Amino acid sequence: MRGPGGWWRRQSTPEKVETYTRGSFHFFAVLEFVTIGLTALIPLGGWVGAALLLTAGVHAALCFVTVSRALDWTRGRRPQPVGLLWSLAAVTAAVGVTAIGIAERGPDSESVDAAVGGALGVVVIVGTGIIALGIRERKRVFAVVGAFAAGSGIVAFTRGAPAGESLLASVMVLFGGGLVAFTAVVSVWLLNIVYELDEARETRSRLAVAEERLRFGRDLHDVMGRNLAVIALKSELAVQLAQRGRPEAVAQMVEVQRLAQESQREVREVVRGYREADLASELAGAQGVLTAAGIDCTVSGTTAAGLPVAVQSALGWVVREAATNVLRHGDARRCAVRLRMSEGRVVLSVENDGVSEAGGGPSGSSGSSGSGLAGLRERLAEIDGTLEAGPAGKGLFRLTAEIPLRSVPARSESVAVVRTVSEVTP
């Protein structure tokens, strides 16, 4: 969309706030020039009014530039405009002295004095506030406001103004300049907050993306780990059978083909984010796979059909990873899987033999390393579950997962009757 409206819509929220802040302080500079032109040029007239208007124009232009440079410095795009701030302070003081000189040497009338006093007040107040844009320390802002307020009173008093009028001039500059300076400080503070909030939102988005990538990598590892191990095992078996001229090699390769197609389907489901492991299916699958690999696998204990979906999914991943590790590591001959309910907790344990005397487990020396177990711990931690893995005696390795049921809301309103695993496993 073209035009000013389209440009505004294309700006981000921080950019809109920054544009508004710049426009507000630029408006102060324009308002200063217009105010002095209307209040001083008509009463003074001639060269006197023109001179005052010209000096006010120079001051307004310098304020305009200072606003842009100071806000750029605030956002880290430019160095601090120290020289420009000193120049603005000098020009502000010069305009004030010029106004006082015009009041002394110009036409002697109350309207002239009022016009010159108003011009002096506007220039000093606006200049003080805009200088505050380029100062970060609050003490220095207070010092600038106090210096201009004190200077206004001193100059007025030395030029013959009564003490009361000189004090009034100081007070007016103090409150007026302080108000504009306070507005400048608050505006910069709000602008920085808006940018920081925007950066925090972007950081949160990046973290969400990173977390999703970790989840995807973890799911992909869990999905493909066991299947690839089984495919490798059955392929090796098929090669050996084919070398012996055994017809069973064809059946093994058919199974490899089925597993490959199943892996493709599961990867697509992981990509879509819809996959959840089914506990009963994973128990049956683990028992079938380990038995086919020559490992005596027994599944015992009880399971509850009414367990929350999150619990079943997490335990299903535990069974899958445990079966994968038994296939990949060690030289297991037996594997026992047991599921039980204990004091409001569901406990799943997988124990296998074939561990070396050095105590090396399926995932390392202590069973605590490896991306598979780390992924399982992350899954279980989401539902306040725990995972322990390590040697469980001479030549044994045990993996135990515990999940408190009270921390996971069940999705079904009624809990089904507890049945044995043997009822749902072949």
Side-chain angles (χ1 to χ4, degrees):
M1 184 180 296
R2 297 181 179 180
W7 170 83
W8 178 257
R9 294 186 187 94
R10 288 192 299 270
Q11 302 298 306
S12 64
T13 299
E15 290 173 341
K16 289 179 180 179
V17 174
E18 182 177 352
T19 301
Y20 171 78
T21 304
R22 289 178 183 272
S24 299
F25 284 95
H26 285 158
F27 178 74
F28 282 155
V30 175
L31 183 64
E32 171 193 335
F33 181 75
V34 173
T35 300
I36 293 177
L38 293 177
T39 60
L41 183 61
I42 297 177
L44 294 176
W47 68 268
V48 177
L52 184 58
L53 185 62
L54 178 61
T55 55
V58 172
H59 184 268
L62 191 58
C63 288
F64 208 92
V65 176
T66 303
V67 169
S68 297
R69 298 293 179 85
L71 290 178
D72 286 342
W73 166 70
T74 298
R75 297 306 314 147
R77 302 175 190 137
R78 293 175 181 268
Q80 186 178 16
V82 178
L84 194 59
L85 296 176
W86 280 109
S87 299
L88 179 59
V91 172
T92 301
V95 173
V97 173
T98 301
I100 293 176
I102 291 175
E104 290 182 349
R105 301 182 181 182
D108 188 11
S109 65
E110 293 184 359
S111 60
V112 172
D113 292 340
V116 170
L120 175 61
V122 170
V123 168
V124 174
I125 290 173
V126 172
T128 302
I130 291 180
I131 289 174
L133 281 176
I135 302 175
R136 185 165 296 168
E137 295 82 2
R138 295 181 181 179
K139 293 181 179 180
R140 294 187 178 182
V141 174
F142 295 149
V144 169
V145 175
F148 274 103
S152 300
I154 292 173
V155 171
F157 185 75
T158 55
R159 292 296 179 175
E165 293 182 3
S166 301
L167 180 60
L168 180 61
S170 295
V171 173
M172 290 179 61
V173 172
L174 180 64
F175 279 97
L179 179 61
V180 179
F182 174 78
T183 303
V185 171
V186 172
S187 298
V188 170
W189 176 66
L190 290 176
L191 180 62
N192 290 333
I193 286 180
V194 171
Y195 269 103
E196 289 175 1
L197 289 176
D198 188 67
E199 292 173 359
R201 184 179 62 180
E202 292 181 359
T203 301
R204 184 180 62 181
S205 300
R206 289 194 296 269
L207 289 176
V209 172
E211 183 178 356
E212 183 62 19
R213 288 176 178 173
L214 290 175
R215 183 201 66 81
F216 178 78
R218 181 184 64 195
D219 290 355
L220 192 61
H221 172 274
D222 295 341
V223 166
M224 298 300 295
R226 186 194 68 175
N227 288 354
L228 290 177
V230 177
I231 288 174
L233 179 66
K234 287 186 174 293
S235 299
E236 182 180 356
L237 179 59
V239 170
Q240 294 177 359
L241 292 174
Q243 289 175 345
R244 299 173 185 175
R246 301 281 295 276
E248 291 88 346
V250 176
Q252 295 297 328
M253 291 309 300
V254 170
E255 182 66 13
V256 168
Q257 182 183 22
R258 185 191 67 80
L259 287 172
Q261 293 173 348
E262 182 182 352
S263 298
Q264 289 179 335
R265 177 184 59 81
E266 290 178 341
V267 167
R268 286 194 294 268
E269 290 177 349
V270 168
V271 172
R272 294 172 184 170
Y274 297 142
R275 188 180 192 282
E276 286 190 355
D278 179 71
L279 180 56
S281 299
E282 294 298 333
L283 287 170
Q287 187 176 34
V289 167
L290 294 177
T291 301
I295 300 174
D296 182 16
C297 180
T298 59
V299 179
S300 61
T302 58
T303 183
L307 283 177
V309 176
V311 173
Q312 294 196 41
S313 178
L315 293 180
W317 285 114
V318 172
V319 172
R320 170 168 289 218
E321 179 65 22
T324 301
N325 287 342
V326 171
L327 287 172
R328 286 181 175 177
H329 309 283
D331 187 19
R333 292 292 178 265
R334 294 183 297 102
C335 180
V337 181
R338 178 177 175 79
L339 184 69
R340 67 183 189 275
M341 305 285 293
S342 175
E343 299 179 355
R345 302 174 69 87
V346 57
V347 182
L348 173 70
S349 63
V350 181
E351 184 176 295
N352 66 280
D353 61 359
V355 179
S356 64
E357 295 297 330
S363 311
S365 61
S366 64
S368 60
S369 61
S371 59
L373 296 185
L376 290 180
R377 287 190 172 91
E378 292 176 3
R379 289 180 182 277
L380 294 172
E382 293 176 358
I383 52 177
D384 295 334
T386 60
L387 181 71
E388 295 182 358
K394 186 177 181 179
L396 296 178
F397 184 89
R398 181 183 299 135
L399 183 147
T400 304
E402 294 187 15
I403 302 176
L405 295 179
R406 63 179 181 276
S407 63
V408 184
R411 293 191 183 181
S412 58
E413 295 181 359
S414 60
V415 179
V417 178
V418 175
R419 63 185 183 216
T420 62
V421 175
S422 59
E423 294 177 353
V424 294
T425 57

